Amino acid sequence: MSLIITETQNAIGTIVMNHVAKRNALSEALIGEITTALDGFREQAIRAVVLRAPAGTKVWSAGHDVSELPSGGRDPLGWSDPLRVLIRAIQEFPAPVLALIEGGVWGGACEVAMGCDILVATPEATFAITPAKLGVPYNLGGLLTVMNMIPLPVAKEMLFTAQPIPVSQALNLGVVNYVRPADEIESFVHGLAESIVANSPLSISVMKEELRLLSSARSITPELFERIQGLRRIVYDSQDYQEGIAAFSEKRKPRFLGR
Ligand code: LCV
């Protein structure tokens, strides 16, 4: 059974993440279906994509599928990790991807949403960035996505508390473009997509790629990169990392000992 529902209409492609039983946890299987759908949209010269969960959902996505995180000794968010693959696929898609957000957005799903080009959410939406809750060392590219979207004090609050922030704060910060009630959001997002589709797809795709390249342009020395990777390794080699994952799968609170 497919984990997504797709639709195309008037150069607008819609992807509904539909693995409700696992709260749209971003598993390799779900991500594979999303990226395959994006490849198909690219071939069909789709000019705007809407990424959403089923209408009325309480959880947009529960983030990385924790059961697929490596048990230790390997970077849990390396280049080829499915979550990283999905975020790149969205950021590199040659047309705007609009996130239609209802419900809770957890962990790596926040970065998926922030990797989209335009975000529209319902008043009940929340955003929680959760690596600290699991003992995961978020990766460089992921933190850059967060830094590009959220002022540092708020990014630190979200990363260090792992607590959800309300959509009102996300709107104030400019993380979310609009908030619309559940009974209006679909037509509102469709209206935005139609206004995009009416414009030059070449101009838009090139400007999207220019903005991606410019927002990721950072001078980073090999020494700085190696130091950061060394620091991250201390975390994913730690007992705390093992404890965070074990606690999640055993449905209990983790006991972090700082080693
Ligand atoms: C696998 C899941 C998940 C899930 N993975 O429903 O950003 S980082 O670094 O942290 C990154 C590594 C990352 O993204 O990690 C994941 C961070 N995500 C979270 O911390 C959210 C974890 N999930 C939850 O807190 C709850 O599931 C929410 C609040 C999203 C929904 O709660 P609700 O009571 O509605 P359940 O918790 O009962 O979940 C339903 C089923 O989905 C599984 C969960 O294990 C359960 O499976 P079973 O029915 O087999 O018990 N599930 C939920 N999230 N991220 N599996």
Side-chain angles (χ1 to χ4, degrees), residues 39-245:
D39 291 343
F41 286 172
R42 186 191 288 254
E43 283 160 21
Q44 298 167 56
I46 287 291
R47 294 187 178 185
V49 177
V50 176
L51 178 64
R52 62 173 301 170
T57 185
K58 294 282 181 286
V59 179
W60 192 73
S61 168
H64 200 297
D65 185 328
V66 176
S67 67
E68 293 183 356
L69 286 171
S71 57
R74 183 162 64 84
D75 188 339
L77 294 171
W79 177 261
S80 57
D81 179 83
L83 176 67
R84 309 307 326 154
V85 170
L86 174 59
I87 290 159
R88 287 198 302 271
I90 291 170
Q91 293 175 328
E92 293 168 9
F93 188 80
V97 179
L98 293 81
L100 190 165
I101 299 169
E102 296 180 79
V105 185
W106 297 85
C110 283
E111 203 196 332
V112 170
M114 292 176 191
C116 294
D117 300 291
I118 295 172
L119 290 78
V120 183
T122 56
E124 300 75 26
T126 59
F127 300 83
I129 304 179
T130 55
K133 200 167 76 172
L134 284 168
V136 167
Y138 218 59
N139 68 301
L140 214 54
L143 287 182
L144 189 58
T145 304
V146 172
M147 283 175 69
N148 282 337
M149 289 288 274
I150 303 174
L152 212 46
V154 180
K156 288 179 179 178
E157 174 198 340
M158 293 184 76
L159 284 162
F160 300 161
T161 68
Q163 290 304 305
I165 66 164
V167 74
S168 54
Q169 188 173 6
L171 181 68
N172 290 340
L173 293 169
V175 172
V176 168
N177 298 65
Y178 298 96
V179 176
R180 287 291 182 277
D183 60 356
E184 295 175 18
I185 192 168
E186 188 168 313
S187 58
F188 180 80
V189 170
H190 208 80
L192 275 180
E194 284 173 340
S195 62
I196 291 168
V197 164
N199 291 329
S200 157
L202 278 180
S203 163
I204 290 170
S205 65
V206 165
M207 287 191 288
K208 174 174 173 175
E209 180 64 358
E210 285 177 88
L211 289 168
R212 182 183 75 82
L213 294 171
L214 286 170
S215 57
S216 60
R218 287 288 192 288
S219 61
I220 182 167
T221 62
E223 182 196 6
L224 193 156
F225 176 75
E226 285 167 2
R227 170 152 168 67
I228 288 171
Q229 290 301 85
L231 289 170
R232 295 187 59 243
R233 185 179 193 99
I234 293 168
V235 181
Y236 63 73
D237 276 355
S238 70
Q239 290 173 22
D240 274 1
Y241 173 74
Q242 311 261 349
E243 164 63 8
I245 293 176

